[in-house]
Amino acid sequence: MSLYDDTLDLLQELIRNACVNDLTADSGEEYRNAATLEKFFEGTDVKVQKFEPHPGRVSVAFTVEGSDPQAEPLTLLGHTDVVPVDEPKWTKPPFDALIEDGKLYGRGAVDMLFITASQAAVTRKIAQGPRPKGTLTFVGLADEEARGGLGAKWISENQPEAFSWRNCLSETGGSHLPVLDGSDAIGFNVGEKGAGQRRIHVHGDAGHGSTPFGKDFAVVKIAEVARRIAAAQPPAVSNETWEGFVRAFKFDAATEQVLIDGTATDSDYEKFGALSAYAHAFSHTTIAQTVLRAGGAINVLPSHAWLEMDIRPFPGQTQEDLDDFLRTALGDLADEVEIEHLITEPATHSPADGPLWDAIVSTTQEFFPDAAVVPVHATGGSDLRFARRLEGDNGGRAYGFAMHARDRDMASANSQLHSHDEHLYLEDLELTVRAYDSLVHKFLGLR
């Protein structure tokens, strides 16, 4: 069988294992995909390491030792969990890995099992051939969808020496930008926004619902908190990565200027078309109000209410900066609220230079010779941030990498993430397998 056929078969089995992570510790059950991967590597000369910080939450690493200790190592980080499905809203079975009209349907097909399967297949091919100069490791990671607490985060904090974090590839990249003059540009993630989750508490008067006169309502107060935060406008950020992204679109000079200097209006962002929401999130701290709680019984005035927010800071922004912004937005209500920190993580960034970035650029040019290669930031999260955070020889450059056909621009590729009827074009699977094969062989001194 060909490398592509091996990858497709593995991908379908990973989907069918249905390792659904609902963000609770006992979900995921990635031991099924770990077992599939162990079977896939049977008979090869690889070192296998398993990590199980919680029953059933298994990550597994496969390492092909290099012949030259001084050569650059490469680590491929692929997660094996998927998000839940709202099955009545799917028109295709979410875990059958059905192929129809050149597309593979299934939860996780795009996020990110097609990359995980490609990484595994290429690593197995390397293990079966001549020994590479640099050490290659593929890791099938649990719990990425819950921010890696039982996967990459746990390994990076508890067993960081298990494999190299110096040069890492994971999700996402390789989709095309809709450049205005019709030329081609392809984005690859070099960084991602952080996490600044908050829970804001307010308190009011308790009492019977039949006598509300003169009461301080916690519900009314939390509603005003939500309104004020929604009305506040986080400032735009401008950095080298954002500026390069803007310039790649080849807007008129006036539009380019306001997008870069932070004075752009909503109508300016709308010029990104289907990528307008992504572009706005790329250049701003985003605040999404997602959970609101107050009360229980309809005849009781609740004395406590709280609002939870998913906040994503950009590189360089601190948690103190976020709290200052919220307090300013709340104005005279600031002294009446308690701001609780939930998950907080700094944004991360890798410079777009060095041997691994050069390999991404040269590999892209093999497939799309006329395309500009554009560094971008992910507005969500990935396991790459743990590689970027490790200091010294333990951590280093970490990028998203895949390869999509020209018909798949970034908006259409991103639209499949966590979507109903999630599907992958088989053309993109073939491109990604070939691209990983080429890049890995070049980087490890085999080509």
Side-chain angles (χ1 to χ4, degrees):
M1 288 182 30
S2 69
L3 181 63
Y4 167 77
D5 291 332
D6 287 343
T7 307
L8 178 57
D9 287 349
L10 175 61
L11 172 57
Q12 288 181 290
E13 186 169 351
L14 295 175
I15 292 171
R16 289 166 182 156
N17 284 337
C19 296
V20 176
N21 185 348
D22 66 8
L23 312 190
T24 62
D26 292 328
S27 66
E29 298 179 305
E30 294 92 342
Y31 72 89
R32 292 194 291 270
N33 274 341
T36 290
L37 290 169
E38 285 189 90
K39 182 179 179 182
F40 184 75
F41 277 91
E42 281 181 356
T44 62
D45 184 19
V46 295
K47 179 177 74 173
V48 181
Q49 298 167 279
K50 295 174 71 173
F51 313 88
E52 191 172 5
H54 185 85
R57 310 307 298 273
V58 179
S59 299
V60 59
F62 305 89
T63 298
V64 183
E65 293 290 346
S67 61
D68 181 359
Q70 303 305 314
E72 290 285 336
L74 179 61
T75 302
L76 311 177
L77 304 174
H79 71 76
T80 60
D81 61 325
V82 302
V83 296
V85 300
D86 186 353
E87 196 159 353
K89 294 181 180 177
W90 283 59
T91 66
K92 312 291 183 185
F95 298 108
D96 284 6
L98 172 70
I99 294 176
E100 189 175 283
D101 297 328
K103 292 176 280 190
L104 172 63
Y105 290 85
R107 174 56 86 216
V110 175
D111 184 13
M112 65 169 285
L113 296 180
F114 87 102
I115 302 176
T116 301
S118 298
Q119 293 174 335
V122 169
T123 301
R124 188 176 74 166
K125 178 180 177 180
I126 297 293
Q128 293 169 333
R131 191 176 178 188
K133 291 182 180 179
T135 294
L136 173 65
T137 300
F138 159 69
V139 194
L141 289 160
D143 203 36
E144 189 275 344
E145 297 293 357
R147 301 195 69 83
L150 299 174
K153 182 176 188 291
W154 187 91
I155 297 170
S156 70
E157 293 175 349
N158 293 277
Q159 297 187 43
E161 303 292 341
F163 48 82
S164 172
W165 301 82
R166 182 177 172 85
N167 300 292
C168 293
L169 297 176
S170 187
E171 57 183 350
T172 60
S175 55
H176 301 255
L177 303 180
V179 182
L180 295 187
D181 68 1
S183 59
D184 195 12
I186 303 178
F188 295 93
N189 288 340
V190 301
E192 61 191 58
K193 298 177 76 176
Q197 295 179 0
R198 295 293 190 272
R199 181 181 291 136
I200 295 187
H201 302 265
V202 302
H203 300 275
D205 294 333
H208 198 286
S210 65
T211 53
F213 179 78
K215 295 296 193 297
D216 181 17
F217 290 97
V219 168
V220 173
K221 192 180 298 182
I222 200 66
E224 178 61 12
V225 165
R227 188 197 67 78
R228 292 188 184 187
I229 292 173
Q233 294 293 324
V237 63
S238 189
N239 53 44
E240 183 179 3
T241 308
W242 167 247
E243 291 175 11
F245 177 75
V246 171
R247 292 191 174 101
F249 280 80
K250 301 183 180 179
F251 293 118
D252 62 88
T255 299
E256 181 178 291
Q257 181 60 37
V258 297
L259 287 168
I260 288 175
D261 68 21
T263 61
T265 64
D266 289 351
S267 63
D268 294 313
Y269 281 96
E270 288 169 359
K271 294 177 183 178
F272 286 101
L275 284 174
S276 58
Y278 168 80
H280 190 273
F282 190 152
S283 58
H284 290 76
T285 296
T286 53
I287 301 175
Q289 303 185 32
T290 53
V291 178
L292 185 63
R293 295 281 187 268
I298 197 170
N299 63 343
V300 176
L301 301 180
S303 60
H304 178 210
W306 65 95
L307 170 70
E308 294 180 359
M309 298 180 293
D310 182 3
I311 303 178
R312 307 289 178 120
F314 50 75
Q317 192 173 32
T318 68
Q319 299 299 324
E320 291 75 19
D321 292 335
L322 297 182
D323 286 341
D324 289 344
F325 176 81
L326 292 173
R327 292 190 183 98
T328 299
L330 292 172
D332 60 358
L333 278 177
D335 292 336
E336 297 186 50
V337 306
E338 300 168 17
I339 300 178
E340 178 185 357
H341 288 205
L342 302 177
I343 294 177
T344 60
E345 296 181 278
T348 62
H349 172 83
S350 291
D353 58 30
L356 184 53
W357 181 254
D358 291 345
I360 290 173
V361 172
S362 63
T363 301
T364 303
Q365 290 171 345
E366 290 178 28
F367 291 85
F368 299 97
D370 298 326
V373 176
V374 182
V376 301
H377 283 162
T379 56
S382 77
D383 286 332
L384 291 169
R385 67 188 183 279
F386 304 112
R388 297 188 188 110
R389 287 181 195 160
L390 289 173
E391 297 179 355
D393 293 337
N394 291 330
R397 307 300 173 94
Y399 307 108
F401 185 72
M403 198 64 67
H404 294 270
R406 181 73 188 270
D407 291 342
R408 243 75 66 211
D409 65 15
M410 185 180 288
S412 62
N414 289 349
S415 72
Q416 292 303 310
L417 305 178
H418 301 185
S419 68
H420 304 315
D421 282 347
E422 181 181 351
H423 59 270
L424 171 75
Y425 284 83
L426 295 181
E427 181 182 16
D428 292 347
L429 177 63
E430 182 180 15
L431 282 169
T432 296
V433 173
R434 290 170 53 207
Y436 263 99
D437 187 43
S438 177
L439 184 151
V440 171
H441 277 78
K442 285 199 303 286
F443 189 81
L444 298 179
L446 290 168
R447 182 177 300 168

